[in-house]
Amino acid sequence: MHKPKEERVHEVFESIHEKYDKMNTVISLNQHTNWRRDVMKKMNVSLGASALDLCCGTADWTIQLAEAAGENGYIKGLDFSENMLRAGQEKVARLGFENIELLHGNAMDIPFADETFDFVTIGFGLRNVPDYDTVLREMYRILKPGGLAVSLETSQPEKRVVNKAYSIYFTKVMPLLGKYIAGKYKEYSWLQESTMSFPNKNLLSIMFAEAGFDKVQVSSYSFGAAAAHFAYKGVTEDK
């Protein structure tokens, strides 16, 4: 009998936290930092901004948000894996960030009031949630009018040759890298499964729109192996 997706994902991330950062670098061929750097440039986070980083893991994106928002920024990171949060908290403390709070919680039911944040981000986490639509609606709910939601995620290359190579890499090579570098073949087999079943960038754009976002822009990276979606929440007019 198969375990529910949420339970499987929780077990995976509780297990891989020690080698998570190293494996991200290996799997993405050290490109994930470049992707996120470009995304941050496009986001243009202002000093004093408020931001929530969903599925924050070991807090790399959370820390970048805190750097951009400055000491007066209001930055939260949320993850349901306590082991990942522990690794993130050690990193935050080591770097001396006092404007970050990491919280244990679920992206399916975000523990913040409506219209709390200027920005909400989710990096390589949306593919692992039980229901994409629920999380997108929650992201919309907690954003202030005029706010920006950003998802950086694996995607499906559109060129057939590239897509075939991408498929072989994720289904065959990545689990072996997990086995020999992190000692976690089963866990990285699951991560490739979630990657290959994730919606392509066009379908995900439609899903953002259906969640209520007014404008959705997409940036592709590495021949379409990853994509960032920038979804804007419109400003409501006063009646």
Side-chain angles (χ1 to χ4, degrees):
M1 184 177 178
H2 291 295
K3 294 179 181 178
K5 182 177 180 180
E6 189 167 19
E7 186 177 338
R8 290 178 69 191
V9 172
H10 186 263
E11 288 180 356
V12 166
F13 284 99
E14 286 288 86
S15 173
I16 67 175
H17 65 283
E18 292 181 348
K19 298 287 182 70
Y20 179 77
D21 287 345
K22 182 177 181 179
M23 283 300 297
N24 270 356
T25 298
V26 170
I27 289 169
S28 72
L29 306 179
N30 201 31
Q31 290 304 299
H32 70 107
T33 54
N34 295 329
W35 301 337
R36 197 166 55 238
R37 187 182 303 117
D38 186 69
V39 169
M40 284 295 297
K41 184 178 179 180
K42 288 180 168 68
M43 287 175 65
N44 193 27
V45 177
S46 58
L47 291 174
S50 57
L52 171 64
D53 186 22
L54 291 176
C55 303
C56 66
T58 59
D60 281 348
W61 202 349
T62 322
I63 288 167
Q64 284 186 289
L65 290 165
E67 289 174 334
E71 60 182 16
N72 293 323
Y74 174 81
I75 310 299
K76 307 291 183 182
L78 185 78
D79 202 284
F80 77 159
S81 168
E82 292 177 316
N83 285 342
M84 295 286 280
L85 284 172
R86 193 174 299 115
Q89 191 59 59
E90 290 172 0
K91 193 182 298 181
V92 168
R94 184 174 68 250
L95 294 173
F97 282 93
E98 297 182 357
N99 60 339
I100 293 175
E101 182 182 9
L102 301 183
L103 304 167
H104 184 245
N106 197 319
M108 297 278 289
D109 185 18
I110 299 174
F112 289 101
D114 296 358
E115 302 182 1
T116 299
F117 296 96
D118 299 308
F119 297 91
V120 57
T121 59
I122 184 165
F124 306 105
L126 188 58
R127 69 179 186 268
N128 292 315
V129 303
D131 187 89
Y132 310 133
D133 293 317
T134 296
V135 173
L136 295 178
R137 288 194 298 270
E138 278 289 275
M139 293 169 73
Y140 182 88
R141 179 185 66 79
I142 58 92
L143 270 180
K144 297 175 183 177
L148 173 63
V150 184
S151 167
L152 176 59
E153 191 53 89
T154 53
S155 191
Q156 307 290 337
E158 294 176 356
K159 291 186 177 180
R160 185 176 298 177
V161 174
V162 177
N163 195 41
K164 186 174 182 179
Y166 172 91
S167 178
I168 292 171
Y169 179 74
F170 272 93
T171 58
K172 305 295 184 183
V173 179
M174 191 174 81
L176 291 175
L177 291 173
K179 177 181 179 179
Y180 291 111
I181 296 175
K184 304 288 183 182
Y185 180 84
K186 182 178 69 174
E187 288 81 358
Y188 280 90
S189 292
W190 157 251
L191 290 181
Q192 66 84 13
E193 196 179 312
S194 66
T195 296
M196 298 308 294
S197 62
F198 192 67
N200 65 32
K201 64 181 183 182
N202 296 324
L203 178 54
L204 188 56
S205 294
I206 293 170
M207 294 168 71
F208 267 105
E210 290 177 341
F213 291 94
D214 295 78
K215 182 174 68 171
V216 183
Q217 298 175 337
V218 184
S219 292
S220 292
Y221 300 101
S222 300
F223 304 102
H229 287 70
F230 301 84
Y232 297 83
K233 181 174 181 176
V235 178
T236 55
E237 295 183 4
D238 294 329
K239 294 183 178 179

